[in-house]
């Protein structure tokens, strides 16, 4: 048998980035980050259960700059995963599959997640100042 070269699958470098690709990858990545965040929340609840010393340690880290960055990122991941999940539920009913609507709903899920995150953190920051 002749040793013929096998066809290679196209690589990401071949494709031009589109919102559809980005939303698909972001949905998977935010799901993973949400799972890690759930572990952090479980750790916080465990620290609360273990007493004031453990809880003070947890809140010290959560209120530090890196804790706030993690919480901000987790909030955006939650908002994006929620918005994109709603988008997928709508598409499960065979609504919004034409290209223009698909692209528009992808951008809408990204923009809505940023707005939701900004509103949540504006409330948190204004509530902390009061």
């Amino acid at each position: 048998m002749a040793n013929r070269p096998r066809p290679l699958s196209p690589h990401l470098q071949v494709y031009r980035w589109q919102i559809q690709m980005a939303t698909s990858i972001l949905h998977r990545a935010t799901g993973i980050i949400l799972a890690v965040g759930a572990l952090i929340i479980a750790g916080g609840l465990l620290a609360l259960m273990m007493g004031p010393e453990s809880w003070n340690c947890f809140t010290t880290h959560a209120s530090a700059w890196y804790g706030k960055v993690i919480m901000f990122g987790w909030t955006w991941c939650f908002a994006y995963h929620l918005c994109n999940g709603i988008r997928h539920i709508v598409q499960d009913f065979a609504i919004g599959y034409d290209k223009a609507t698909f692209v528009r709903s992808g951008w809408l899920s990204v923009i809505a997640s940023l707005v939701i995150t900004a509103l949540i953190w504006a409330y948190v920051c204004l509530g902390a100042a009061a």
Side-chain angles (χ1 to χ4, degrees), residues 56-80:
N56 287 337
C57 180
F58 181 82
T59 56
T60 299
H61 289 290
S63 61
W65 69 269
Y66 54 87
K68 290 179 182 176
V69 168
I70 290 170
M71 287 190 291
F72 182 85
W74 193 83
T75 306
W76 178 79
C77 288
F78 182 81
Y80 176 77

Side-chain angles (χ1 to χ4, degrees), residues 1-126:
M1 292 180 33
N3 194 5
R4 295 186 307 183
R6 300 177 68 184
L8 299 175
S9 295
H11 193 267
L12 284 176
Q13 294 170 341
V14 175
Y15 294 111
R16 193 179 87 238
W17 276 95
Q18 299 174 359
I19 187 67
Q20 300 92 321
M21 294 170 68
T23 56
S24 177
I25 292 168
L26 277 176
H27 192 75
R28 288 171 173 85
T30 55
I32 293 167
I33 293 168
L34 287 174
V36 172
L39 292 174
I40 294 172
I41 290 171
L45 292 173
L46 187 62
L48 182 62
M49 181 191 75
M50 291 176 63
E53 188 176 313
S54 297
W55 178 245
N56 287 337
C57 180
F58 181 82
T59 56
T60 299
H61 289 290
S63 61
W65 69 269
Y66 54 87
K68 290 179 182 176
V69 168
I70 290 170
M71 287 190 291
F72 182 85
W74 193 83
T75 306
W76 178 79
C77 288
F78 182 81
Y80 176 77
H81 205 77
L82 175 69
C83 292
N84 205 44
I86 292 169
R87 174 178 169 242
H88 278 282
I89 289 172
V90 170
Q91 289 173 348
D92 285 343
F93 289 100
I95 300 171
Y97 272 115
D98 61 285
K99 190 174 182 179
T101 306
F102 201 78
V103 169
R104 191 177 324 114
S105 66
W107 281 110
L108 184 63
S109 65
V110 171
I111 293 167
S113 69
L114 293 171
V115 169
I116 291 169
T117 303
L119 289 173
I120 289 171
W121 278 89
Y123 178 78
V124 168
C125 292
L126 292 176

